[in-house]
Amino acid sequence: MKLIKDALVLTPRLTVRECDTALLAQKGLNNKEIAEMMFVSEATVKFHLKSIYKKLGIRSRVQLNDYNLKR
């Protein structure tokens, strides 16, 4: 059983765009697909993911799935 952490309570708050990026990444979309859905560049998606990982204290999308993110 996975331990689900509430990212918005236990960690610094994510911005709206970071949260959108994280939720799409949790759904299994790759950076290109996320960028197309959010109308941004892939570089922007990478920037958001890097910021998300830092705020949550994680290193990968696999670890991102342990968080119960809400917008």
Side-chain angles (χ1 to χ4, degrees), residues 47-61:
F47 178 83
H48 287 315
L49 287 171
K50 184 177 177 180
S51 178
I52 292 162
Y53 295 169
K54 183 176 179 180
K55 287 181 180 182
L56 300 181
I58 61 175
R59 294 181 152 194
S60 70
R61 288 178 191 237

Side-chain angles (χ1 to χ4, degrees), residues 3-60:
L3 174 64
I4 301 296
K5 302 170 189 170
D6 188 341
L8 298 180
V9 172
L10 299 177
T11 61
R13 281 184 138 330
L14 300 177
T15 67
V16 172
R17 296 302 272 177
E18 288 169 348
C19 195
D20 289 344
T21 302
L23 289 168
L24 292 171
Q26 283 183 327
K27 289 182 180 182
L29 279 69
N30 63 39
N31 290 357
K32 183 178 180 180
E33 293 168 329
I34 295 170
E36 289 171 357
M37 289 191 74
M38 294 179 63
F39 302 103
V40 297
S41 70
E42 284 185 66
T44 300
V45 172
K46 289 178 186 178
F47 178 83
H48 287 315
L49 287 171
K50 184 177 177 180
S51 178
I52 292 162
Y53 295 169
K54 183 176 179 180
K55 287 181 180 182
L56 300 181
I58 61 175
R59 294 181 152 194
S60 70

